[in-house]
Amino acid sequence: MPARPLRDETLHLIDAVRTALAQRSDVDERRLFGSHAFFVDGKLCIAVKGEELLVRLPPGRHAEFQEMQNTRELSPEGKMQGYFWVEPNGYATRAQWNFWLHEALAYNPQAKATPPRKRAAANPPPAAPSISKSKRHSIFDDDTP
């Protein structure tokens, strides 16, 4: 099934993040759980889904960000502390926009990178032949009469 086209608002927001990070050489863009994610130095930093920003922030300041208007936790159960969705009213002004970018980028050097997944080899090596127990020979076996 082909992917649905992104709405203009989403494309503009992706472009705004891309422009804000354009001076950095360590940015990688990928699709992640239905969002357009920006990884800085190999770590998720900011993502865009619809008209919302997902920002990765210091878990130690989770309660502070939780109290802010126009934000909600990625995981209300508290399993993913430090990840917040920011609604459009939360980044509508230049000062708000700069605040979220600054906070996400300032935390990035301390953030833990997700270890890369091991990809299955395209042509896995053949399995070693199985030797039945009766045909095994050990250097400890004494075949001499």
Side-chain angles (χ1 to χ4, degrees), residues 4 7 13 17 20 29 53 66 69 79 88-89 91 101-103 112 114 118 124 126:
R4 289 184 289 169
R7 295 176 32 210
L13 186 53
V17 175
E29 297 180 36
L53 285 177
Q66 190 177 20
Q69 290 185 349
K79 294 179 183 178
N89 286 339
Y91 62 82
L101 287 173
H102 171 76
E103 290 294 330
K112 291 183 182 178
T114 303
K118 292 182 180 178

Side-chain angles (χ1 to χ4, degrees), residues 17-125:
V17 175
R18 187 178 288 136
T19 300
L21 300 175
Q23 299 301 319
R24 301 186 63 104
S25 62
D26 57 351
V27 177
D28 182 32
E29 297 180 36
R30 313 180 220 172
R31 298 288 298 162
L32 181 70
F33 304 118
S35 69
H36 190 91
F38 293 84
F39 288 75
V40 175
D41 192 27
K43 299 172 260 187
L44 176 63
C45 187
I46 300 171
V48 173
K49 186 171 186 177
E51 293 182 58
E52 294 184 317
L53 285 177
L54 176 68
V55 290
R56 187 174 185 187
L57 305 165
R61 294 178 56 200
H62 187 87
E64 173 189 341
F65 295 118
Q66 190 177 20
E67 296 299 318
M68 296 178 81
Q69 290 185 349
N70 303 305
T71 64
R72 71 178 189 287
E73 301 169 80
L74 173 64
S75 170
E77 302 84 31
K79 294 179 183 178
M80 301 278 297
Q81 288 205 349
Y83 293 88
F84 282 90
W85 289 109
V86 181
E87 299 169 355
N89 286 339
Y91 62 82
T93 68
R94 185 173 305 277
Q96 290 171 318
W97 174 258
N98 289 333
F99 172 81
W100 294 116
L101 287 173
H102 171 76
E103 290 294 330
L105 290 169
Y107 174 62
N108 187 263
Q110 290 83 41
K112 291 183 182 178
T114 303
R117 290 186 186 183
K118 292 182 180 178
R119 296 182 184 255
N123 296 319

